[in-house]
Amino acid sequence: MESSLGFVTPVRMHFDQALALQNGQSLPAYDLMVETYGTLNRERSNAVLICHALNASHHVAGIDPDSAEVGWWDNMVGPGKPLDTNRFFVIGVNNLGSCFGSTGPMSLDPQTGRPYGARFPVITVEDWVHAQARVADAYGIARFAAVMGGSLGGMQALAWSLMYPQRVAHCMVIASTPKLSAQNIAFNEVARSAIRSDPDFHGGDYYAQGVKPRGGLRVARMIGHITYLSDDDMATKFGRALRRAEGALDAYKFSFDVEFEVESYLRYQGDKFAEYFDANTYLLITRALDYFDPAKAFDGDLTAALDATTATFFVASFTTDWRFAPARSRELVRALLKLKRDVTYAEIDAPHGHDAFLLDDARYHNLVRAQFARIAEEVNA
Amino acid sequence: MESSLGFVTPVRMHFDQALALQNGQSLPAYDLMVETYGTLNRERSNAVLICHALNASHHVAGIDPDSAEVGWWDNMVGPGKPLDTNRFFVIGVNNLGSCFGSTGPMSLDPQTGRPYGARFPVITVEDWVHAQARVADAYGIARFAAVMGGSLGGMQALAWSLMYPQRVAHCMVIASTPKLSAQNIAFNEVARSAIRSDPDFHGGDYYAQGVKPRGGLRVARMIGHITYLSDDDMATKFGRALRRAEGALDAYKFSFDVEFEVESYLRYQGDKFAEYFDANTYLLITRALDYFDPAKAFDGDLTAALDATTATFFVASFTTDWRFAPARSRELVRALLKLKRDVTYAEIDAPHGHDAFLLDDARYHNLVRAQFARIAEEVNA
């Protein structure tokens, strides 16, 4: 693995001021894992917050010295990258409830001395934003030059622009949506059902049993993967190719073992995920996705909901993304235009479905680069 | 429940001539459940075979006296219906490996005296067609006026036109495809994974344990349901509506219980299916779907594959079907046109996704009705 940022070391930030949650509960104290790249300038005007999606973390870019893994958006963030760490100070935060070091279901509940498990509160996108605001406070950042995210990360960026309008100069929402559709919720619910019905789930309290619901997690991830890729991309990558040893006959085996390449790929992805991801976190984060709907408090009127924003917007979608299709981004853009907000919208012709937001595509990256050049000028980065 | 056919009683047909299967094994003897409607004419020229999809059966129309259930295509088949049983003799056959009375994994293996379970052979669409041909033989039907099916049933109709060209006057392929895409196979594999990883599956030999992998079946069915409905249809039917008692607050509960209507619907469908369907049958039938690919033996050249056909074709697809999209039907139609076959193609603008082929849509039914009027004239029905 390689990264122009080299090794980066996350910090664990402890917060002991209670965080009031949207569900009415509160977390008395919590930790957040944070990683930063670049240097905060004297005016503290060059900070950019990167919000992560379902299975990602604070480890946005560079190489983690423990796992030796490259960050999930390393092609976007770094010296000379579209989000240039020579000019900007970039912060990645692992969200509450996630399983990469921040306080979540695997953490010990101080009240019981045992892992929270199923008793970890249901967390929302808005809760994450409040928690991230405290990270900004800790760095003395009054206003972000930009808050940016893809997919669920884009929802957080949008929520920032609504909840802390004075603290976000630019809001960058990529491959996202102002709310899940019934079909999106349906896919989430199937994934959760797979986890819940795994006997190793034990109602969410599997840590004490020394097991984890691997079968359920595997199925959840396989479903996810289908929705991240486009139909065309799957056809190009796998088609109906059979999984065969070099030189073997291209004939059916008539069995339930792996027969097609696409099966092998899905099983591999599912197995890998089941090892490193936490099932309670999967439930929590998919539920946060379901619940996000800033227009709900305005009788479904997105334009009314977005009236609170003051940021400049950059919205991007990808033509073959069927999870959060361009139409969902256009819905957001239309509402912003009605409000006469400054908004740039790009619909990028890319074959890779929802995953495109993570991939290195020159047209996409050039647009982000241009936006950050504009932002750099504005904030004197 | 109501049906203009009234009560209909299936018959169990026993075959004791071994059936050679595509996987190299053979079934020494087997039963098929068969239901018929209308009267076979003296020339035996008015017979129509209806082929069923994943979870359906021989019970195509009328009311089953035991279950009191109406057949799955009762809106299509009956006196005065698009396929008019006053003119045609219609046969429904429950496919081998299915769980509605025909020989399948739940049946006793004569060699062991125990249910076949995981030892039931992998069955293909072509195997089904051979088995159905013996039903035709039993009725003395040399040539079907038409073989018709939707979805997987459409694949069987197409296979008939290839394997027994002299025995099919008209081939009617509805909401189907000449082969599954990588995405189609991927969805099948996720469903199978859910079943396989259910501890109550016991490697397919759960009958002796007195259990069934309900959790896995439930998830499999939920995934299926998402692919049967269109995104728009789900939005119209459920949207983001909350599941609430009449007059209750339209506010989130922040819980993992059923929160949205679409979750309630999916759970209900999954639970119902898990009670009546057999898990081994689910594996077998999805595998038959995966394997179907008549062009495979012709280096993927569908036109070359279809050269064996002599039937007249009727092909229909539905605009919002994303499981087997219109493009898949067009692929078939294009190949048939290249061969200068007589083919009628209808792309029906319907909001209901893949399920549309089962629903009562006037434009769709009128086209089928017209086709059968033409067939009736040809075969003197």
Side-chain angles (χ1 to χ4, degrees):
Chain A
M1 87 270 84
E2 250 180 61
S3 165
S4 47
L5 275 167
F7 289 105
V8 288
T9 306
V11 295
R12 171 182 299 279
M13 295 179 78
H14 180 74
F15 298 86
D16 50 17
Q17 191 194 339
L19 185 76
L21 303 172
Q22 212 184 341
N23 77 344
Q25 294 180 254
S26 89
L27 271 181
Y30 56 94
D31 290 353
L32 294 176
M33 295 300 292
V34 174
E35 218 167 85
T36 65
Y37 324 94
T39 309
L40 187 60
N41 63 12
R42 192 181 303 238
E43 302 80 26
R44 305 186 186 206
S45 66
N46 69 335
V48 174
L49 176 68
I50 299 294
C51 304
H52 71 77
L54 211 162
N55 67 320
S57 71
H58 54 283
H59 183 39
V60 176
I63 301 165
D64 181 78
D66 287 337
S67 68
E69 275 180 14
V70 174
W72 57 271
W73 224 355
D74 190 77
N75 61 28
M76 181 67 88
V77 176
K81 301 275 171 71
L83 172 45
D84 189 348
T85 52
N86 291 328
R87 306 179 81 172
F88 290 99
F89 176 67
V90 180
I91 306 180
V93 181
N94 187 216
N95 285 331
L96 271 177
S98 180
C99 50
F100 299 107
S102 293
T103 298
M106 299 163 75
S107 310
L108 294 185
D109 177 351
Q111 295 207 321
T112 64
R114 285 178 294 129
Y116 280 103
R119 285 165 311 285
F120 197 81
V122 169
I123 296 279
T124 65
V125 168
E126 287 79 3
D127 295 331
W128 286 332
V129 168
H130 284 307
Q132 291 159 359
R134 296 204 180 159
V135 174
D137 295 343
Y139 283 101
I141 298 161
R143 179 179 168 91
F144 279 112
V147 178
M148 168 159 109
S151 191
L152 175 55
M155 292 177 174
Q156 294 162 59
L158 184 59
W160 260 97
S161 77
L162 286 163
M163 297 164 60
Y164 294 103
Q166 74 291 358
R167 300 189 73 170
V168 186
H170 286 259
C171 174
M172 301 175 69
V173 179
I174 298 170
S176 192
T177 174
K179 62 174 187 284
L180 293 201
S181 69
Q183 192 189 65
N184 293 147
I185 295 173
F187 276 120
N188 282 346
E189 172 59 11
V190 180
R192 287 190 296 260
S193 283
I195 290 171
R196 274 196 309 264
S197 67
D198 187 325
D200 284 340
F201 181 58
H202 295 287
D205 295 316
Y206 45 87
Y207 310 112
Q209 327 275 333
V211 294
K212 64 187 293 191
R214 282 189 177 76
L217 267 171
R218 196 183 292 126
V219 168
R221 181 59 163 179
M222 290 167 87
I223 296 169
H225 256 283
I226 300 178
T227 68
Y228 303 152
L229 302 181
S230 72
D231 190 15
D232 279 357
D233 198 31
M234 275 198 151
T236 309
K237 273 197 178 118
F238 311 110
R240 296 181 49 88
L242 301 180
R243 177 80 175 169
R244 289 292 177 271
E246 190 95 30
L249 270 181
D250 188 43
Y252 290 153
K253 289 183 298 192
F254 299 105
S255 107
F256 292 109
D257 296 337
V258 163
E259 178 72 290
F260 298 94
E261 283 289 353
V262 67
E263 295 177 305
S264 168
Y265 170 82
L266 283 179
R267 290 192 192 186
Y268 173 77
Q269 294 293 341
D271 287 343
K272 203 172 64 168
F273 188 72
E275 288 310 313
Y276 79 79
F277 210 79
D278 177 63
N280 282 317
T281 290
Y282 204 90
L283 300 189
L284 277 173
I285 299 193
T286 54
R287 208 43 156 173
L289 274 158
D290 291 354
Y291 277 135
F292 184 67
D293 182 9
K296 182 170 163 57
F298 297 84
D299 280 333
D301 183 343
L302 185 60
T303 308
L306 294 175
D307 197 32
T309 63
T310 58
T312 297
F313 285 85
F314 175 92
V315 180
S317 68
F318 299 90
T319 47
T320 59
D321 182 352
W322 65 280
R323 181 177 173 83
F324 299 147
R328 326 295 298 279
S329 286
R330 275 187 238 135
E331 196 186 322
L332 172 61
V333 170
R334 260 196 306 271
L336 291 167
L337 287 177
K338 264 197 210 164
L339 294 163
K340 304 200 189 303
R341 294 290 177 277
D342 180 341
V343 51
T344 300
Y345 176 55
E347 207 164 292
I348 294 147
D349 187 13
H352 302 297
H354 189 60
D355 265 359
F357 88 89
L358 294 167
L359 302 178
D360 193 350
D361 176 291
R363 284 169 302 178
Y364 162 43
H365 276 194
N366 285 340
L367 287 164
V368 175
R369 186 184 296 277
Q371 189 73 5
F372 276 111
R374 170 184 170 182
I375 299 172
E377 251 179 57
E378 283 177 25
V379 303
N380 199 22
Chain B
M1 87 272 85
E2 250 180 61
S3 165
S4 46
L5 274 167
F7 289 103
V8 288
T9 306
V11 295
R12 172 182 301 278
M13 297 179 76
H14 180 73
F15 299 86
D16 50 16
Q17 191 194 340
L19 185 75
L21 303 173
Q22 212 184 342
N23 77 344
Q25 295 180 253
S26 89
L27 270 181
Y30 55 94
D31 289 353
L32 293 177
M33 295 301 291
V34 175
E35 217 168 87
T36 66
Y37 324 94
T39 308
L40 187 60
N41 64 13
R42 191 182 303 240
E43 303 79 25
R44 306 188 185 203
S45 67
N46 68 335
V48 174
L49 176 69
I50 298 294
C51 304
H52 71 77
L54 211 162
N55 66 318
S57 73
H58 54 281
H59 183 39
V60 177
I63 300 165
D64 182 78
D66 288 337
S67 69
E69 274 179 16
V70 175
W72 57 271
W73 224 353
D74 190 77
N75 61 27
M76 180 68 89
V77 177
K81 300 276 171 73
L83 171 46
D84 189 347
T85 52
N86 290 329
R87 307 179 81 173
F88 290 98
F89 176 66
V90 179
I91 306 181
V93 181
N94 187 217
N95 285 330
L96 270 177
S98 180
C99 49
F100 298 106
S102 292
T103 298
M106 297 162 76
S107 311
L108 294 185
D109 178 353
Q111 295 206 322
T112 64
R114 284 177 294 130
Y116 279 103
R119 285 164 312 283
F120 197 82
V122 169
I123 296 278
T124 65
V125 167
E126 287 79 1
D127 294 331
W128 286 331
V129 168
H130 283 308
Q132 290 158 0
R134 294 202 179 159
V135 175
D137 295 343
Y139 283 100
I141 298 162
R143 177 179 169 90
F144 280 111
V147 178
M148 167 158 111
S151 192
L152 175 55
M155 292 177 175
Q156 293 162 59
L158 184 59
W160 262 97
S161 77
L162 287 163
M163 296 164 59
Y164 294 103
Q166 74 290 357
R167 299 189 74 169
V168 186
H170 286 259
C171 174
M172 301 175 69
V173 179
I174 297 170
S176 192
T177 173
K179 61 174 187 285
L180 293 202
S181 69
Q183 191 189 68
N184 294 147
I185 295 173
F187 275 120
N188 282 346
E189 172 60 10
V190 180
R192 287 190 296 259
S193 284
I195 290 170
R196 274 196 310 263
S197 67
D198 186 324
D200 284 340
F201 181 57
H202 295 287
D205 295 316
Y206 44 87
Y207 310 111
Q209 326 277 332
V211 294
K212 65 186 294 190
R214 283 189 176 76
L217 267 170
R218 196 181 293 129
V219 168
R221 182 58 165 180
M222 291 167 88
I223 295 169
H225 256 282
I226 300 179
T227 69
Y228 303 152
L229 302 182
S230 73
D231 189 14
D232 279 356
D233 198 31
M234 275 198 151
T236 309
K237 273 194 177 119
F238 310 109
R240 297 181 49 87
L242 301 180
R243 178 78 176 170
R244 290 290 178 271
E246 190 96 27
L249 270 182
D250 188 44
Y252 290 154
K253 287 183 299 192
F254 299 107
S255 108
F256 292 110
D257 295 338
V258 163
E259 177 74 290
F260 298 94
E261 284 289 354
V262 67
E263 294 177 306
S264 169
Y265 170 81
L266 283 178
R267 289 191 192 187
Y268 173 77
Q269 294 293 340
D271 287 342
K272 203 173 64 167
F273 188 72
E275 289 311 312
Y276 79 79
F277 210 77
D278 177 63
N280 282 316
T281 291
Y282 203 91
L283 300 189
L284 277 172
I285 299 193
T286 54
R287 207 44 155 173
L289 274 158
D290 291 353
Y291 277 135
F292 185 67
D293 183 9
K296 182 171 164 56
F298 297 84
D299 281 332
D301 183 344
L302 184 61
T303 309
L306 294 175
D307 197 32
T309 63
T310 58
T312 297
F313 286 85
F314 175 91
V315 179
S317 69
F318 299 90
T319 48
T320 58
D321 183 353
W322 64 281
R323 182 176 173 84
F324 299 148
R328 326 292 300 278
S329 285
R330 276 188 236 133
E331 196 186 324
L332 172 61
V333 170
R334 261 196 305 273
L336 291 167
L337 288 176
K338 263 197 209 163
L339 293 163
K340 303 201 186 305
R341 294 291 177 277
D342 180 341
V343 51
T344 300
Y345 175 54
E347 207 165 290
I348 294 146
D349 187 12
H352 303 295
H354 189 60
D355 265 359
F357 88 87
L358 294 167
L359 302 178
D360 193 349
D361 175 292
R363 284 169 302 177
Y364 161 45
H365 276 193
N366 284 342
L367 287 165
V368 174
R369 185 183 297 277
Q371 188 73 4
F372 276 112
R374 170 184 169 182
I375 299 171
E377 250 179 59
E378 282 177 28
V379 303
N380 199 22

